[in-house]
Amino acid sequence: MTIDELIAAARDGSTRAAGRLLSLVESPRRDEVLAALEPASARVIGVTGPPGAGKSTTVGALVGAYRERGLRVAVLAVDPSSPYSGGALLGDRIRMAAHINDPDVLIRSVATRGHLGGLAAAVPAAIRLLAALSYDLIVAETVGVGQSEIEIAAIADPTVVILNPGAGDAVQAAKAGLLEVADLVVVNKADREGADQTARDLRAETHVPVLKLVAAQGEGLAELVEAIDAHHRADTHDRRTARARAQILSLAQTLLRNHPELDRLAASVAEGRDDPYGAAEQLFAVPVEP
Ligand SMILES: Nc1nc2c(ncn2[C@@H]2O[C@H](COP(=O)(O)OP(=O)(O)OP(=O)(O)O)[C@@H](O)[C@H]2O)c(=O)[nH]1
Ligand SMILES: [Mg+2]
């Protein structure tokens, strides 16, 4: 099938065609797919947090809530690699079992390690594709252990950070920079001891709303959905511009890091034949192949 045929089939509801297209946007044929798409926009919710915090369980519950409203929802599990999911989507499939056979829900893992410039390059393309395929809402799950949550925060709105009750969780999250990217903080597994204390500790560390949730039971889900809605209602031109800016910077950084001239220039600076200022300018002077 040609790309246009795949797009038509995916629009008609073929999740297999949508899957093929998602694979293509992760491949060197990304630009061909992007060129064939009509412009469209979708809401993107980012869900991040430490391994095993209950991100997938929360995403599964959110999908249920949005399906009740009749929205078409796509879930991107970005680089599932934590010890809990074992790097496989199997665990996520179990947690989202209620939605596996729903033709209006697409669940997909995006591998971003090692090729084509990582998350920052792969996810915006996947989001553009899914929006053009008439998904109303895209939920992206990333494990917050490094760079990925910063990149997802540039794309998503809101970014929901999921933590658990427990001594030190709030402090650790603050240290890890997770609270900096949060638009909403969720203390999941609130059926466990210490949830109120953790929520209080977190409120001392952040000005964004802190909610309690038992994702496994759906307790607190309505409040989370309302908080996400409130965040959307409060969106402004300035905030959209700030996100666009963060996305551009993130993509530009990826392009520069993968610049074909970077290694040669680095060697030349190391050997004293070039200075880093001139080398930096040269990086911008030579066009990059995306
Ligand atoms: N007690 C309790 N357990 C929960 C709750 N939500 C999730 N869990 C459990 O926590 C474990 C991890 O849940 P996941 O949803 O896979 O967590 P995750 O953050 O997506 O994990 P990774 O993607 O592997 O990092 C599972 O055993 C869930 O059943 C909750 O509200 N209460
Ligand atoms: Mg998960």
Side-chain angles (χ1 to χ4, degrees):
M1 273 207 246
T2 66
I3 284 173
D4 285 336
E5 285 166 348
L6 282 171
I7 292 172
R11 279 235 179 82
D12 278 345
S14 162
T15 43
R16 278 195 58 178
R20 282 283 316 279
L21 288 164
L22 277 163
S23 299
L24 285 173
V25 296
E26 289 179 47
S27 81
R29 295 183 68 193
R30 171 181 300 155
D31 289 344
E32 278 178 67
V33 178
L34 293 182
L37 300 175
E38 306 283 333
S41 65
R43 286 164 53 179
V44 182
I45 299 172
V47 175
T48 190
K55 300 179 293 297
S56 299
T57 311
T58 303
V59 170
L62 284 173
V63 169
Y66 289 111
R67 285 299 297 133
E68 276 178 23
R69 293 186 183 180
L71 300 185
R72 296 187 80 211
V73 189
V75 177
L76 296 175
V78 180
D79 247 353
S81 57
S82 92
Y84 289 85
S85 47
L89 202 56
L90 186 64
D92 289 345
R93 289 203 170 275
I94 292 165
R95 287 185 245 309
M96 296 177 205
H99 312 296
I100 294 285
N101 293 318
D102 183 341
D104 291 317
V105 178
L106 182 80
I107 300 170
R108 170 82 185 194
S109 71
V110 194
T112 60
R113 302 250 157 99
H115 70 293
L116 290 173
L119 171 65
V123 172
I127 286 169
R128 259 192 66 192
L129 170 67
L130 292 165
L133 297 181
S134 317
Y135 286 93
D136 305 298
L137 186 77
I138 297 153
V139 187
E141 174 186 336
T142 57
V143 183
V145 287
Q147 183 67 21
S148 67
E149 73 276 8
I150 297 167
E151 295 183 348
I152 211 70
I155 298 163
D157 196 60
T159 298
V160 181
V161 170
I162 312 250
L163 301 169
N164 293 151
D169 219 40
V171 178
Q172 262 174 8
K175 271 193 195 152
L178 271 176
L179 293 183
E180 276 168 43
V181 302
D183 297 306
L184 294 172
V185 175
V186 168
V187 180
N188 184 43
K189 308 194 188 181
D191 50 329
R192 294 192 180 165
E193 216 168 296
D196 287 318
Q197 184 60 47
T198 301
R200 271 196 297 277
D201 293 348
L202 284 164
R203 286 187 189 109
E205 300 280 345
T206 178
H207 295 295
V208 306
V210 177
L211 292 92
K212 288 192 297 172
L213 179 71
V214 184
Q217 256 78 58
E219 269 167 55
L221 181 66
E223 289 81 355
L224 175 58
V225 170
E226 169 49 30
I228 291 170
D229 283 346
H231 189 84
H232 278 129
R233 284 193 300 270
D235 204 14
T236 60
H237 178 263
D238 282 356
R239 262 171 46 186
R240 279 190 294 278
T241 308
R243 284 202 300 282
R245 189 187 149 85
Q247 268 188 59
I248 294 169
L249 285 174
S250 182
L251 279 169
Q253 211 171 36
T254 304
L255 288 175
L256 287 174
R257 236 185 260 123
N258 294 319
H259 198 292
E261 289 292 295
L262 182 57
D263 286 345
R264 188 187 63 75
L265 286 165
S268 153
V269 170
E271 288 154 16
R273 282 183 283 115
D274 250 319
D275 68 88
Y277 296 96
E281 278 174 19
Q282 281 191 57
L283 271 192
F284 286 100
V286 182
V288 273
E289 287 295 312

